[in-house]
Amino acid sequence: MKKYCNKRTCLIGSLVLVVLIYFVCLLAFGTKNYTEVNKPVSDVLTEQPRLEDDFHDNINYKYLSENQLGDDEFVWYYMYSKSSELIKEEKIKIIDDILNNCDKHPAGSVNEKICLFYNSYNVKDKDKAAKKELKYYIDLINNTKNINDYMNAVLTVNKELSIGIVVNPTINFQPTNLKQPYFILDNIYYDYQVYNSEFYSLDSFEQELNKLKKYDVKLLKLFGYKDNEAYKRVSKIQSMYKDIARFSLKSNKLIDKGYKLYSVNDLQQQLKNINVNYIISKYNNLYNGGYVLVSDINQLKAIDSYLIDENLDTLKMYAELRIITEYSNYLGNDYFELNNEYNEIFTGYKTAFKDDKEFIYEQIYSLFQDTIVNEFAKRNFSIDEKIFYTNLVIEEIEAFKKRINKEEWLSDKTKAFAVDKMNKITYTVGTPDNFVYTENNYLITKDNSYLGNAISMNKSIFNEYCNQYRKGNIVYGLMDPLEQNAYYEANTNSINLLLGMIYSYKKTLNLDEKNLEKSYFEILGTAGATIGHELSHALDSDGSKYDGSGNYTNWWTKEDAENFNKLNIEVVKYYNNYEQFGSTTLAENIADLGGMALIMDMAKTKKAKEDDYKKIFEAYTLDWCSQMNPYVRVNALYNDEHSPNKNRVNAVLSSTEEFYSVYDIKESDGMYVPKKNRVAVW
């Protein structure tokens, strides 16, 4: 994956970025037991280094020295920062055009629905209406008399509000048989989207838990509870979280366990109070398989043991707080300001949104993404660009196949499987060819409240996804097409070069979209390296466990698998020399190295000269020009699957033969790595 957002699996998408920043920084500031080698250091450059010693800082010196992070900033990307505002402005123009012509849109059209949704946000007393609608779901839970009634109410809330309370059910296809649906009981979130059980089970986070408690108390007070009652409720809920978290797995990499699935009967035998078949039946009788995947069986068993009548009051309090927390952004400015206050405590950012307009426009975008993205593409993505980047993907697939066939450590049998996987790979360039158009089915009326319309749209999204599953279509939470990113999906064996990334390269590199060939080598160093990176994910330490159809299976010979693992070990050792943890970032490092190797092959095919190689290397380096708050950077060392951006330049180029000849890198230079220590997998 290039850089990483889920498309729209719930209605509070506008707060997802805030939540992610919050949790990342929470971890960063909550764990300060750093090794000496990974102590936070300043990003401030006092002088420009020689390119032979530090290529990343030399090439990016101008931008790094001119764009130091402010006290309230955590991350800065040159390319991302420069183009993200342009993307935001274009989205605003598109929504403005729709809202300024509400009287002209045909009845029942998506544009009319956007107008109706926007108008429902601006009605008088919308906050009271929203509170009343949420109260309906809260009362549904609070009026239950026993655990069975409670579970029934919770599952209704799960479906209609997309909140995983007690259980977090989803549907997917078996990784070993993509035509067979299976059911997932995923980890529950604790408070405010905290997913990690360690947060509630380790003493080192107690200070942050106290801050979170203060926020929850304020939230409940806004909702009408008195100070003492709010405090008692939050204390009981946190105590429940701690009880459950103690039993959760600290690490749960399902892929390394071969996707072990529980049969419904076997799972039910381990649970006393959770009725697995009943949960499955609530999902439109869609599931017809015999297995359930449980993300954390220890957590599920701990929750199951908690589901007894004597805990019913605490369980009701927990459900109410989860509902209020998830939908607080619909309840008015007081809640909005509290979210901003809370966000500032943990991240340093003072506001999530500058004003009401920015907030509601982001809501409109998250719910009507297909319509707005399509209009963005019409205005900013030409046929010439689509053809050029599509051809670039095809060329790189062919280059990868040739590279596979040249690998001496692979047997002919494994080569054939790997090439077959490349032949079957699919790709999306710019925007998906086929959207799941849930927007056409939205039921929005002028009589509905703002929150009521949002809930109605959420139900439409869920029902449409269920319909897609019934047809045998795999449905994934795709990234936002305007995200400046790219990704590989193992279960579909597909790569996706998103429109936001193509647009970003166009704006930051000042490309002429009608004559992209004249900037071929700059594009090769940016988009080309990105495409190669994603292709390499198909055969990295994770992607290599799937076949060309996206099934989880072992298609390697024993000897080839052993050779592959030996190469992986060398990559880990190599990156450990760069003051990071090579094992944590193995898959991404293989993809970085593979992407560079592919564009070197393509440059040779194009008979690249020395200046052309310089354009490739310098554009590639500019793509990773960034700065990060020291403590966030340290947290990333422990938790991010990607190497630090500086290493994604220097470590990759120091293992690239052409780099040495182009810049005359000598043994005395900082960028020099002895030939025997340079690494590559593909």
Side-chain angles (χ1 to χ4, degrees):
M1 188 164 53
K2 176 77 173 178
K3 292 164 187 166
Y4 216 17
C5 148
N6 212 348
K7 190 180 178 188
R8 55 181 188 193
T9 55
C10 68
L11 296 176
I12 56 169
S14 59
L15 292 180
V16 168
L17 181 59
V18 171
V19 169
L20 291 177
I21 293 171
Y22 147 72
F23 187 50
V24 166
C25 295
L26 207 57
L27 285 169
F29 288 101
T31 54
K32 302 261 181 90
N33 297 318
Y34 310 131
T35 60
E36 189 69 23
V37 74
N38 290 321
K39 282 177 62 177
V41 293
S42 173
D43 273 331
V44 177
L45 289 177
T46 55
E47 60 182 36
Q48 185 174 12
R50 296 169 65 245
L51 68 81
E52 295 89 348
D53 293 328
D54 186 339
F55 196 77
H56 174 274
D57 284 2
N58 174 276
I59 298 302
N60 294 326
Y61 177 75
K62 178 177 184 294
Y63 305 109
L64 293 173
S65 59
E66 292 176 354
N67 294 278
Q68 298 299 326
L69 287 176
D71 292 337
D72 60 348
E73 295 179 294
F74 279 79
V75 179
W76 171 82
Y77 269 93
Y78 169 72
M79 285 198 173
Y80 180 90
S81 299
K82 187 173 181 180
S83 55
S84 59
E85 283 300 315
L86 296 175
I87 291 174
K88 182 178 176 181
E89 289 170 8
E90 189 66 23
K91 285 160 61 176
I92 289 172
K93 288 179 185 176
I94 292 168
I95 296 173
D96 276 342
D97 288 347
I98 293 171
L99 296 179
N100 290 335
N101 292 281
C102 285
D103 57 337
K104 299 177 183 177
H105 301 314
S109 66
V110 173
N111 283 352
E112 186 205 37
K113 294 175 183 179
I114 292 174
C115 289
L116 289 172
F117 180 62
Y118 178 77
N119 290 338
S120 70
Y121 178 78
N122 289 311
V123 299
K124 186 179 180 181
D125 294 331
K126 75 172 186 301
D127 302 340
K128 290 182 180 179
K131 187 172 182 178
K132 184 179 179 182
E133 300 227 21
L134 276 193
K135 194 82 167 51
Y136 164 80
Y137 291 99
I138 292 169
D139 288 345
L140 188 68
I141 287 174
N142 285 339
N143 291 333
T144 58
K145 304 298 183 184
N146 53 53
I147 290 297
N148 286 336
D149 290 345
Y150 175 83
M151 284 300 296
N152 188 43
V154 159
L155 290 171
T156 298
V157 173
N158 282 347
K159 274 187 62 175
E160 298 192 7
L161 299 185
S162 295
I163 304 175
I165 301 172
V166 179
V167 290
N168 193 11
T170 57
I171 303 166
N172 212 315
F173 287 89
Q174 283 195 29
T176 55
N177 181 0
L178 295 181
K179 293 300 180 183
Q180 182 65 59
Y182 74 107
F183 207 76
I184 303 173
L185 289 177
D186 208 349
N187 288 28
I188 63 162
Y189 290 107
Y190 293 99
D191 208 354
Y192 211 80
Q193 296 283 36
V194 175
Y195 191 80
N196 194 323
S197 294
E198 292 185 5
F199 183 78
Y200 279 92
S201 59
L202 298 180
D203 293 339
S204 56
F205 288 109
E206 194 64 35
Q207 184 177 355
E208 280 68 33
L209 286 178
N210 288 331
K211 294 176 184 177
L212 185 57
K213 181 181 285 189
K214 290 180 181 178
Y215 166 77
D216 287 338
V217 168
K218 289 181 179 180
L219 188 64
L220 289 181
K221 286 173 66 178
L222 276 180
F223 204 71
Y225 287 99
K226 293 183 178 179
D227 190 51
N228 287 342
E229 178 63 19
Y231 185 85
K232 287 179 182 178
R233 283 174 169 261
V234 173
S235 296
K236 286 184 178 181
I237 294 166
Q238 280 204 353
S239 179
M240 184 191 83
Y241 288 153
K242 289 179 179 180
D243 287 342
I244 293 171
R246 283 204 324 269
F247 296 98
S248 290
L249 297 175
K250 290 188 177 181
S251 178
N252 187 51
K253 295 183 178 179
L254 294 172
I255 192 168
D256 292 335
K257 298 181 179 180
Y259 279 101
K260 179 181 177 183
L261 304 172
Y262 294 86
S263 71
V264 173
N265 289 336
D266 287 344
L267 180 59
Q268 191 62 71
Q269 287 179 10
Q270 300 187 58
L271 304 172
K272 295 180 180 179
N273 303 307
I274 295 175
N275 188 324
V276 180
N277 277 312
Y278 181 67
I279 295 173
I280 292 171
S281 71
K282 297 289 284 187
Y283 278 72
N284 294 8
N285 294 315
L286 176 65
Y287 170 76
N288 60 8
Y291 294 90
V292 177
L293 189 152
V294 180
S295 296
D296 187 341
I297 188 64
N298 288 343
Q299 185 195 70
L300 188 64
K301 288 164 73 173
I303 292 170
D304 181 71
S305 66
Y306 210 89
L307 289 169
I308 55 178
D309 286 341
E310 66 185 74
N311 292 327
L312 186 58
D313 287 343
T314 301
L315 287 164
K316 289 178 180 179
M317 296 175 193
Y318 148 68
E320 180 177 25
L321 181 60
R322 291 283 290 117
I323 292 170
I324 296 170
T325 301
E326 293 285 350
Y327 281 85
S328 62
N329 53 325
Y330 290 93
L331 295 174
N333 287 333
D334 289 342
Y335 295 87
F336 182 79
E337 290 302 321
L338 179 58
N339 279 329
N340 285 339
E341 176 190 333
Y342 172 68
N343 191 43
E344 184 178 4
I345 289 172
F346 286 103
T347 71
Y349 290 101
K350 294 183 179 179
T351 58
F353 302 99
K354 288 187 295 188
D355 50 36
D356 276 3
K357 177 179 178 179
E358 186 174 314
F359 173 77
I360 184 58
Y361 273 37
E362 190 58 35
Q363 289 288 303
I364 289 171
Y365 178 71
S366 68
L367 289 162
F368 296 91
Q369 191 180 96
D370 293 353
T371 295
I372 296 167
V373 168
N374 275 332
E375 182 59 32
F376 188 101
K378 288 178 185 176
R379 300 182 183 190
N380 299 285
F381 188 46
S382 67
I383 294 175
D384 289 338
E385 288 177 288
K386 178 84 169 181
I387 293 171
F388 177 88
Y389 286 103
T390 300
N391 287 337
L392 190 61
V393 172
I394 294 170
E395 288 173 14
E396 292 207 43
I397 291 173
E398 292 303 311
F400 203 178
K401 285 158 59 177
K402 290 178 182 177
R403 176 163 280 272
I404 291 167
N405 281 320
K406 290 179 181 178
E407 296 293 355
E408 296 180 359
W409 59 273
L410 278 179
S411 68
D412 290 342
K413 181 180 179 181
T414 303
K415 284 180 182 178
F417 271 106
V419 169
D420 178 67
K421 186 166 187 178
M422 286 297 108
N423 285 331
K424 291 179 178 177
I425 203 165
T426 58
Y427 45 84
T428 298
V429 177
T431 56
D433 294 328
N434 296 302
F435 283 108
V436 177
Y437 280 102
T438 55
E439 298 166 13
N440 294 326
N441 300 321
Y442 284 167
L443 297 175
I444 301 176
T445 69
K446 62 182 179 181
D447 298 322
N448 261 4
S449 70
Y450 167 58
L451 177 58
N453 278 325
I455 292 171
S456 174
M457 287 186 276
N458 184 67
K459 292 177 183 177
S460 297
I461 293 170
F462 175 80
N463 289 332
E464 181 57 35
Y465 279 11
C466 286
N467 289 336
Q468 293 297 321
Y469 275 115
R470 286 193 186 92
K471 295 174 184 177
N473 298 329
I474 300 175
V475 180
Y476 292 93
L478 298 177
M479 274 193 202
D480 173 1
L482 295 184
E483 179 79 7
Q484 292 155 261
N485 214 328
Y487 65 99
Y488 171 77
E489 176 55 63
N491 284 116
T492 56
N493 191 27
S494 63
I495 65 166
N496 302 268
L497 183 66
L498 300 179
L499 176 57
M501 178 153 280
I502 294 173
Y503 180 83
S504 175
Y505 289 143
K506 176 166 65 177
K507 293 300 181 181
T508 53
L509 297 175
N510 297 315
L511 301 177
D512 180 355
E513 63 187 70
K514 294 183 179 179
N515 188 11
L516 292 170
E517 284 292 339
K518 75 177 184 180
S519 302
Y520 178 84
F521 293 105
E522 289 92 338
I523 294 172
L524 198 59
T526 49
T530 297
I531 294 165
H533 173 100
E534 302 309 331
L535 285 173
S536 297
H537 271 315
L539 297 175
D540 67 19
S541 53
D542 293 334
S544 60
K545 297 173 183 177
Y546 295 80
D547 65 15
S549 299
N551 298 304
Y552 184 88
T553 184
N554 181 14
W555 47 272
W556 291 73
T557 67
K558 183 179 179 181
E559 183 180 358
D560 290 339
E562 289 174 354
N563 290 335
F564 183 65
N565 288 334
K566 288 178 183 176
L567 290 170
N568 287 349
I569 291 170
E570 293 304 312
V571 173
V572 171
K573 289 179 180 177
Y574 178 78
Y575 277 87
N576 282 343
N577 293 323
Y578 285 85
E579 296 189 351
Q580 67 171 87
F581 305 117
S583 57
T584 304
T585 56
L586 175 60
E588 293 295 332
N589 295 337
I590 292 172
D592 282 345
L593 293 164
M596 180 56 65
L598 281 179
I599 62 174
M600 290 297 97
D601 287 350
M602 295 175 70
K604 290 174 188 173
T605 301
K606 291 284 186 177
K607 295 181 169 46
K609 299 176 182 178
E610 184 176 293
D611 284 346
D612 298 324
Y613 280 108
K614 286 183 178 180
K615 290 177 183 178
I616 293 172
F617 294 136
E618 291 173 18
Y620 175 79
T621 301
L622 184 63
D623 198 10
W624 295 115
C625 178
S626 65
Q627 292 181 343
M628 188 176 287
N629 173 287
Y631 290 106
V632 175
R633 184 171 65 252
V634 168
N635 175 68
L637 284 173
Y638 286 90
N639 296 285
D640 194 349
E641 62 189 3
H642 303 84
S643 292
N645 287 348
K646 182 173 177 176
N647 294 354
R648 298 186 79 169
V649 174
N650 290 352
V652 169
L653 296 185
S654 288
S655 269
T656 302
E657 299 303 321
E658 291 81 0
F659 175 74
Y660 285 84
S661 58
V662 169
Y663 292 101
D664 191 25
I665 304 298
K666 296 181 174 62
E667 191 171 348
S668 58
D669 297 328
M671 289 293 295
Y672 181 85
V673 171
K675 195 162 187 176
K676 65 178 181 178
N677 295 336
R678 298 171 199 170
V679 291
V681 176
W682 300 106

